[in-house]
Amino acid sequence: MLFNRFYGKKAVVFIILILVLAVFTSCSVKKRTRSGRNVIVAGNVQKEEDSTVTGIIVNVDRELKQVTVRGLESDVDTILDYNATSEITDKYGTKITGDELQHGQIMAVTYNPENLRVVSMDIPKEVWEYQEVDEFSFDGGENSLSFAGRKYQYSGWTYFSSLDSKIQMMEINNNDVITVRGIGIKAYSVTRTKGHGYIRLANYNYFKGGTVNVGNSIILPVTDNMLISAGTGSYRVMLSKGSTKAVKNVTVKDGSETKLDFSEYKTEVKNSGYITFDIEPYGADLYINGYAVDYSSPVALNYGEYNIKVEMTGYTTYTGVLDVEKAGDIIKIDLIDENASVGSSSLATPKPSGGTGSKKDDNNKDDNNDSDVTTKKIDSNHTITISAPEGAEVYLDNVYKGLVPCSFTKVIGSQTITLSKPGYQTKSYSIDVLDDDKNVKLGFSELAEDSG
């Protein structure tokens, strides 16, 4: 009897367990797995819920058919597989393949957490995108990026990249072209779509003290050890001194130095001319495309448009666009006294005179040309010191400053430091020097060896 009662009780317990399991398998419930994923249990079939992430495309491996997505405000990367069944659309809602995804895009992604395969990808409606941005500025003091007349915030989470790799923010300079993407006032992705290279002048001693024009965008005094940073593309480079000019064409490649030898030069008179500036009062400063220019004698310029600025303490600064169309133009500019009364004849708008070269005032210039001519403030009481990489040539805004380690007078504002060393790749960095009455000490990474 004791035997039968013992086993009878076990049988009852077994039957109760069977009934409990039957209840749990008769309907669907949601539970958390050890991996933290939600799982739907229906009968004997398990199906995990799709997961979602909104982030930046930081890598596309077209051979492995994988895409890496980084969270908007994190450093977490999610590597996902994609195939022909993945529903991927571009900003127009047009279906594309995973191979067509672009570095730096912001995408909302739905994926299967079991096999980490993309189910769908699209660009959220709140995401904005600006392409082909070639006029922009960074302000390190307030972490802002300005372009197209607007200001956006960047942060430590903002992803800076070239077309296929991550870069530092300071590796982007004003010769580059970028694509910016973000949400609201935040810029989450800045992609350099067109980079810059360098022109090294050689055997040009005769022209020292003259000027060099690179296309219509760069005009510099000719000095020792000239290395000029310029956006990728083809340019007409002109050296001029007195009545002598030398002209050569050059193609600038991304990240590379191109040597331009002027040991044998040709005098060129077509498509360039000497412009005479008649500026009152005498001693006012003239800036062309942001560079100070000595106009005590005629200035040689390629044909085309230039941003100019004339300023002097006590007078209203004058800015405009100079259109050089032929040689021999005379441009007359009379600055207005800041204390001049309304209605005074001295308030007449300054205008150019002579020749067919024209100058458009700010109030009348083209809407498409919104670039500003800016000048740099000099802090002669403080210095900028570069301590690394040792032995490299240092250029500040294309002007040679010496070999590392070296120090030079502090210049306030945004500018470009270029480092060059034989056998190594030339590198540029954009810096923002504050007006804080302090010396600046900078050190940069060692240059990479030039494999070419």
Side-chain angles (χ1 to χ4, degrees):
M1 292 293 293
L2 292 173
F3 179 84
N4 290 336
R5 283 200 297 269
F6 175 76
Y7 280 98
K9 290 180 179 180
K10 292 189 67 174
V12 171
V13 172
F14 180 77
I15 291 171
I16 292 173
L17 289 173
I18 293 297
L19 290 174
V20 170
L21 289 173
V23 171
F24 273 93
T25 57
S26 64
C27 60
S28 297
V29 296
K30 189 178 290 186
K31 70 177 182 178
R32 180 77 62 180
T33 66
R34 283 182 297 176
S35 63
R37 297 172 182 153
N38 289 327
V39 180
I40 298 296
V41 182
N44 294 324
V45 179
Q46 293 189 357
K47 180 181 178 182
E48 297 197 23
E49 285 185 331
D50 290 334
S51 297
T52 60
V53 61
T54 298
I56 303 163
I57 304 299
V58 299
N59 187 55
V60 180
D61 190 323
R62 293 172 178 81
E63 184 176 346
L64 295 179
K65 302 298 181 185
Q66 290 182 337
V67 58
T68 303
V69 182
R70 176 167 298 179
L72 288 181
E73 296 191 0
S74 75
D75 55 359
V76 177
D77 289 350
T78 304
I79 302 176
L80 303 169
D81 296 324
Y82 62 84
N83 58 23
T85 66
S86 301
E87 292 290 331
I88 305 175
T89 56
D90 61 15
K91 62 182 179 180
Y92 305 108
T94 304
K95 191 176 187 308
I96 60 174
T97 67
D99 291 352
E100 296 176 89
L101 290 169
Q102 299 176 11
H103 214 80
Q105 280 183 308
I106 299 176
M107 303 290 285
V109 187
T110 301
Y111 65 94
N112 185 324
E114 177 68 20
N115 55 22
L116 296 179
R117 180 166 294 163
V118 173
V119 176
S120 64
M121 296 180 72
D122 59 23
I123 299 176
K125 292 182 179 179
E126 65 269 24
V127 171
W128 49 259
E129 175 181 300
Y130 288 89
Q131 297 182 353
E132 299 297 314
V133 179
D134 56 5
E135 294 285 346
F136 56 88
S137 63
F138 289 96
D139 187 327
E142 58 181 25
N143 284 359
S144 66
L145 167 60
S146 300
F147 62 91
R150 297 184 179 181
K151 184 180 294 186
Y152 300 92
Q153 297 297 129
Y154 67 86
S155 70
W157 303 121
T158 302
Y159 186 73
F160 294 90
S161 63
S162 63
L163 288 175
D164 55 8
S165 61
K166 182 179 180 180
I167 60 175
Q168 300 178 59
M169 182 194 75
M170 63 170 54
E171 293 181 61
I172 297 176
N173 74 29
N174 56 10
N175 293 307
D176 296 337
V177 177
I178 59 177
T179 292
V180 188
R181 301 177 176 93
I183 298 174
I185 65 168
K186 293 185 177 181
Y188 284 110
S189 169
V190 180
T191 304
R192 182 172 64 195
T193 56
K194 182 180 177 182
H196 59 275
Y198 309 91
I199 303 169
R200 182 175 290 279
L201 303 186
N203 300 313
Y204 60 95
N205 285 338
Y206 174 81
F207 294 97
K208 289 180 183 178
T211 58
V212 55
N213 287 241
V214 180
N216 295 330
S217 59
I218 299 174
I219 177 171
L220 294 166
V222 179
T223 59
D224 291 328
N225 302 308
M226 291 210 70
L227 181 68
I228 304 169
S229 175
T232 56
S234 297
Y235 297 91
R236 180 175 183 268
V237 178
M238 180 179 72
L239 296 180
S240 61
K241 185 178 181 182
S243 60
T244 305
K245 287 183 277 186
V247 174
K248 286 197 173 184
N249 295 319
V250 65
T251 298
V252 176
K253 298 180 180 179
D254 191 11
S256 299
E257 277 192 24
T258 301
K259 184 177 181 180
L260 210 53
D261 192 334
F262 283 91
S263 55
E264 293 183 6
Y265 62 86
K266 62 179 181 179
T267 300
E268 180 72 30
V269 295
K270 294 182 179 179
N271 301 323
S272 63
Y274 283 95
I275 305 301
T276 299
F277 288 90
D278 181 5
I279 299 176
E280 293 291 341
Y282 180 79
D285 294 321
L286 169 66
Y287 297 89
I288 300 181
N289 286 350
Y291 298 100
V293 175
D294 179 6
Y295 59 93
S296 58
S297 59
V299 179
L301 295 171
N302 289 327
Y303 287 178
E305 291 189 349
Y306 299 85
N307 293 306
I308 71 169
K309 180 176 183 177
V310 182
E311 64 180 6
M312 189 174 189
T313 302
Y315 292 83
T316 301
T317 298
Y318 182 62
T319 61
V321 178
L322 171 65
D323 187 3
V324 179
E325 297 177 349
K326 73 178 187 64
D329 280 354
I330 300 174
I331 305 299
K332 181 174 177 58
I333 301 173
D334 293 328
L335 293 184
I336 301 170
D337 192 318
E338 288 181 345
N339 297 320
S341 59
V342 177
S344 169
S345 59
S346 62
L347 289 177
T349 303
K351 294 181 180 179
S353 64
T356 59
S358 62
K359 184 179 182 307
K360 308 170 193 174
D361 296 317
D362 277 349
N363 295 330
N364 299 317
K365 68 181 181 181
D366 297 337
D367 292 336
N368 294 331
N369 192 335
D370 56 2
S371 59
D372 295 325
V373 178
T374 58
T375 59
K376 300 291 194 310
K377 178 181 178 181
I378 305 297
D379 180 356
S380 57
N381 296 320
H382 297 89
T383 59
I384 297 175
T385 299
I386 311 295
S387 60
E390 192 168 342
E393 296 176 335
V394 178
Y395 295 83
L396 179 69
D397 286 341
N398 296 316
V399 178
Y400 179 72
K401 293 297 181 180
L403 297 177
V404 178
C406 68
S407 296
F408 45 88
T409 302
K410 182 178 178 180
V411 182
I412 309 301
S414 298
Q415 49 215 295
T416 301
I417 294 285
T418 301
L419 303 172
S420 178
K421 190 175 182 179
Y424 295 83
Q425 295 179 11
T426 300
K427 194 79 170 179
S428 288
Y429 297 94
S430 294
I431 63 172
D432 196 8
V433 179
L434 302 179
D435 188 5
D436 55 6
D437 291 325
K438 296 179 181 179
N439 292 325
V440 177
K441 295 183 179 180
L442 300 171
F444 300 95
S445 302
E446 290 296 323
L447 298 176
E449 292 189 17
D450 189 352
S451 58

